[in-house]
Amino acid sequence: MTKPDPVIVIGAGPVGLCLALALAQQDVSVVLIESMSDDNFLDQVPRAGSNHPTTLEFFDRIGLYARIEPRGLIAPKFQYWDRQDSALIAEFDHALLKDDTRFPYVLQCERIKIIEEALKMAKAHPRIEVRMSTEFVSFEQNGGGVAAQVKNAAGEAETIRGSYLVSCEGARSIVRRMLDVEFEGFTYPERTINIEVAYDFRKHGYTERNYISDPDEYSNLFHWKGPPDRWRIHFPTAIEDDENELKRPEALQARLKRFLGIDRDFEICGCNLYTVHQRVAKKFRQGRVLLAGDAAHVNSPIGGMGLNSGVHDAFNLADKLVRIVSSNADDAELDRYERQRRHVAVKHTQTQTIRNKRLLEERDPAVRQRNHDELRRQAEDPALARTFLLRTALFESLREAEQIA
Ligand SMILES: Cc1cc2nc3c(=O)[nH]c(=O)nc-3n(C[C@H](O)[C@H](O)[C@H](O)COP(=O)(O)OP(=O)(O)OC[C@H]3O[C@@H](n4cnc5c(N)ncnc54)[C@H](O)[C@@H]3O)c2cc1C
């Protein structure tokens, strides 16, 4: 019997790496194509890093959890704050999920550490051919397979053949554009500034993950192990604000002083500005070509759902591709991947992240009050709090997807 062609995975981000490892560990060969080189792979701007219990279970399945746990911070709790009167609104504790998961906490571990560890695993796996410094350019497909055109590490045009091709290239997916699949949704008319600061916010009562509501300047505050140990705080900025002005050291200091209401200088480790999109691809599959992760859906980081839901795509897809490639299962299973994961992207990730942002920036005092009372009510009742956590930790979305035929 001839060996099936490998699955081609484009992009060694968290989604592409998890997909490659999950396939390879079930004996499916993979060619993993990444445009960055070994020299600059770890120079990426800070992004995701709040890994929910469901995602930790998946990481554990491929042996990745044990590698990242020592590099991260275990964060069982998260809090909602009202900046108007510097008051804690509500605290949720994942300990309430102790009977639902072996990981009743969020692991604060930066995306860069996850991909560093996962890339080492991928390079060591005999079923994965990792092609760094290789830029995916275009593809063709027919009933028998796919052909990816790349510019390889030597700068030459090369064709790589595979059985299926999965775009894990991130939000700017060339594959999605070549398929002419609409990226439905919208982009917020503002940008977010992320400031990294070496300062212990716990002195002010904050925990490792905090959502801070304010009609004028809502924010999110997260603790990271580093090194160096530091916190990231995100604030919205007006679209017309000048980037250089926003990033001026004095402007960053002033923003932090205003936030904490104290007059001292902070040790700022870095900052970056990003635009937030809420979009879902109209299709996740066309023939032998699939979209996963940010290539298929993007959302506001409030709630930490982008990387998490992308990794869930990867494992859903891996199980189906294994059955198709190794056991000749009907590839109509891939339509189920689209039905399940598109449903999650639209009904869960988009809905929750849009709602999270609205909650934090609400201007109407009566609605703010109602929202805060509701959060308090849920946090104080263990049964309601557990239901809340099952949703925020993405158990609800996984269980609902399982019901989709
Ligand atoms: C500030 C910020 C904070 C965030 N915080 C969180 C959080 O706490 N929790 C969370 O779940 N999500 C968070 N997210 C979202 C998260 O970062 C993304 O959802 C996640 O990184 C998507 O993973 P991915 O593998 O799909 O794509 P990416 O991480 O974008 O990786 C894509 C990979 O493909 C490669 N590539 C691209 N084009 C090509 C090409 N043509 N050829 C070859 N390779 C290519 C890229 O170099 C890259 O390595 C955050 C995002 C931002 C901006």
Side-chain angles (χ1 to χ4, degrees):
M1 210 175 96
T2 53
K3 248 177 52 197
D5 283 338
V7 172
I8 302 172
V9 176
I10 320 280
V15 178
L17 282 160
C18 282
L19 176 62
L21 286 164
L23 288 169
Q25 291 180 4
Q26 294 177 82
D27 229 20
V28 170
S29 299
V30 176
V31 179
L32 177 60
I33 295 169
E34 170 56 49
S35 54
M36 298 189 82
S37 68
D38 283 316
D39 295 336
N40 68 5
F41 189 64
L42 299 181
D43 297 339
Q44 304 180 39
V45 292
R47 286 166 65 183
S50 296
N51 302 285
H52 293 296
T54 41
T55 309
L56 301 180
E57 288 178 9
F58 283 125
F59 286 159
D60 197 37
R61 214 170 101 180
I62 51 171
L64 181 57
Y65 177 77
R67 289 170 165 256
I68 60 171
E69 197 227 65
R71 301 190 65 185
L73 284 174
I74 288 182
K77 296 178 181 173
F78 64 102
Q79 298 177 338
Y80 288 90
W81 285 78
D82 182 352
R83 182 169 163 184
Q84 297 268 290
D85 50 9
S86 300
L88 175 67
I89 304 166
E91 177 176 274
F92 290 89
D93 189 343
H94 286 85
L96 286 170
L97 300 184
K98 66 177 183 347
D99 295 331
D100 298 279
T101 176
R102 281 178 298 130
F103 304 101
Y105 48 80
V106 162
L107 182 73
Q108 289 287 98
C109 183
E110 300 91 317
R111 173 185 172 279
I112 204 76
K113 294 175 181 168
I114 298 170
I115 58 175
E116 183 183 8
E117 295 298 335
L119 184 64
K120 280 189 228 159
M121 290 173 71
K123 284 184 174 175
H125 202 291
R127 285 289 206 179
I128 305 178
E129 183 189 345
V130 179
R131 303 280 301 260
M132 299 299 287
S133 312
T134 301
E135 195 182 327
F136 166 76
V137 179
S138 65
F139 72 90
E140 284 170 9
Q141 64 169 323
N142 59 35
V146 287
Q149 274 79 44
V150 301
K151 192 164 122 198
N152 67 20
E156 294 156 355
E158 184 185 336
T159 301
I160 298 173
R161 295 190 191 281
S163 52
Y164 289 88
L165 181 145
V166 188
S167 164
C168 304
E169 312 152 72
R172 299 207 174 112
S173 167
I174 295 170
V175 172
R176 191 186 64 239
R177 272 181 267 149
M178 280 188 70
L179 290 173
D180 204 16
V181 169
E182 203 182 325
F183 211 20
E184 293 176 323
F186 64 91
T187 299
Y188 283 110
E190 65 182 40
R191 287 177 301 177
T192 306
I193 190 158
N194 164 35
I195 309 176
E196 303 222 352
V197 50
Y199 177 77
D200 191 354
F201 285 79
R202 284 172 298 196
K203 285 189 256 188
H204 302 267
Y206 294 109
T207 187
E208 268 49 48
R209 301 174 57 228
N210 310 274
Y211 298 102
I212 301 143
S213 92
D214 184 9
D216 301 322
E217 192 185 48
Y218 70 89
S219 50
N220 305 290
L221 173 67
F222 303 104
H223 187 193
W224 304 96
K225 186 171 186 172
D229 190 290
R230 68 203 188 287
W231 295 64
R232 267 188 222 156
I233 184 156
H234 305 246
F235 297 105
T237 68
I239 198 77
E240 62 276 8
D241 287 349
D242 176 66
E243 177 162 354
N244 291 329
E245 175 53 29
L246 287 169
K247 291 181 168 174
R248 213 164 42 83
E250 296 76 19
L252 299 177
Q253 293 287 352
R255 216 181 259 275
L256 292 172
K257 285 177 192 173
R258 264 197 320 273
F259 175 76
L260 281 174
I262 55 172
D263 190 17
R264 56 156 285 165
D265 276 339
F266 294 89
E267 187 187 333
I268 293 174
C269 317
C271 79
N272 63 294
L273 202 61
Y274 60 88
T275 305
V276 176
H277 311 272
Q278 296 284 163
R279 296 183 183 276
V280 180
K282 195 150 189 174
K283 297 218 40 82
F284 286 14
R285 176 198 182 185
Q286 249 182 49
R288 291 177 171 269
V289 177
L290 298 124
L291 305 176
D294 274 18
H297 44 79
V298 286
N299 54 267
S300 134
I302 306 175
M305 297 179 75
L307 182 152
N308 284 273
S309 65
V311 167
H312 296 194
D313 292 348
F315 282 88
N316 181 306
L317 187 53
D319 289 346
K320 293 177 170 65
L321 282 171
V322 167
R323 286 195 290 273
I324 293 163
V325 175
S326 309
S327 317
N328 285 324
D330 187 341
D331 87 350
E333 283 218 33
L334 298 176
D335 293 330
R336 183 167 179 238
Y337 161 74
E338 174 178 292
R339 286 193 294 278
Q340 291 177 311
R341 296 309 304 168
R342 201 170 177 281
H343 170 86
V344 167
V346 174
K347 295 282 185 232
H348 290 261
T349 315
Q350 294 291 313
T351 310
Q352 274 187 61
T353 49
I354 291 171
R355 197 170 49 209
N356 288 346
K357 182 172 183 298
R358 219 176 269 152
L359 175 86
L360 299 186
E361 69 188 358
E362 180 58 54
R363 302 194 75 85
D364 182 323
V367 179
R368 267 169 65 74
Q369 187 61 48
R370 229 184 12 250
N371 290 343
H372 296 180
D373 288 347
E374 179 56 19
L375 275 175
R376 234 174 259 121
R377 191 177 74 87
Q378 295 182 87
E380 283 163 9
D381 177 325
L384 292 179
R386 178 173 165 269
T387 305
F388 185 92
L389 287 161
L390 286 173
R391 188 171 63 245
T392 57
L394 315 192
F395 285 100
E396 186 186 278
S397 69
L398 283 175
R399 290 173 188 173
E400 206 170 291
E402 252 337 285
Q403 304 305 314
I404 297 175

